[in-house]
């Protein structure tokens, strides 16, 4: 009986440590492939989220707005600080979940994988996909 309880406790302790490994790999600040932004990836509850921390391009007076959002009510919000990934969950050797591109106003399914200081993000809308690679800066 005590042996079974020990195995159950060991399993519960092992699961969070395995889940933490991918989170630690993707957490941090990433420069986008086009050099236009810094995206901060961090845990949000038991999942991962990503937020535009800073734009590296010249912005109009008042800041860059989310002008291409399909929801007209959201077109006046600032791009800096905008959450572009949410509810990312571990998937294979990376993360999978919803994403948003303020550059073209599209929502997509994101697949993120980290290898060293590179984050490869594959975004798919229906059967059309695009892959980009970001570089860790911190």
């Amino acid at each position: 009986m005590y042996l079974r309880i020990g195995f159950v406790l060991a399993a519960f302790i092992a699961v969070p440590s395995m889940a933490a490994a991918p989170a630690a790999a993707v957490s941090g600040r990433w420069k986008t492939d086009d050099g236009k932004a810094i995206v901060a990836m961090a845990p949000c509850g038991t999942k991962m989220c990503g937020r535009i921390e800073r734009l590296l391009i010249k912005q109009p007076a008042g800041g860059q707005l989310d002008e291409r959002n399909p929801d007209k009510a959201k077109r006046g919000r600032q791009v800096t600080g905008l959450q572009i990934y949410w509810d990312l969950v571990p998937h294979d050797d990376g993360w999978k979940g919803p994403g948003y591109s303020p550059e073209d106003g599209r929502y997509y399914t994101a697949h993120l994988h980290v290898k060293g200081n590179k984050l490869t993000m594959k975004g798919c809308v229906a059967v059309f996909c695009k892959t980009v690679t970001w570089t860790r800066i911190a």
Side-chain angles (χ1 to χ4, degrees):
M1 176 78 168
Y2 290 111
L3 187 59
R4 286 185 188 174
I5 292 171
F7 283 131
V8 170
L9 288 174
F12 281 120
I13 292 169
V15 170
S17 64
M18 287 186 279
V26 77
S27 290
R29 296 170 62 231
W30 300 89
K31 185 175 184 179
T32 59
D33 63 314
D34 58 10
K36 293 181 179 180
I38 303 295
V39 176
M41 301 293 293
C44 51
T46 59
K47 300 177 182 177
M48 289 296 295
C49 293
R51 188 171 299 280
I52 297 175
E53 180 179 281
R54 184 169 58 136
L55 291 177
L56 303 174
I57 57 172
K58 184 175 174 144
Q59 298 181 54
Q64 183 67 45
L65 301 179
D66 189 14
E67 299 167 333
R68 295 189 175 153
N69 195 299
D71 181 346
K72 290 180 182 180
K74 294 181 179 178
R75 292 182 183 168
R77 65 186 181 171
Q78 294 285 323
V79 170
T80 300
L82 186 65
Q83 185 170 321
I84 59 170
Y85 294 111
W86 57 96
D87 294 340
L88 295 172
V89 295
H91 183 274
D92 294 334
D93 63 342
W95 294 86
K96 180 180 178 181
Y100 172 70
S101 170
E103 192 165 31
D104 58 15
R106 291 191 183 165
Y107 290 88
Y108 57 89
T109 300
H111 303 265
L112 294 89
H113 299 277
V114 176
K115 186 172 184 179
N117 69 342
K118 299 293 183 185
L119 170 65
T120 302
M121 192 283 300
K122 179 179 176 183
C124 298
V125 177
V127 296
F128 301 100
C129 298
K130 180 179 178 180
T131 302
V132 296
T133 301
W134 297 353
T135 304
R136 183 184 301 276
I137 59 168

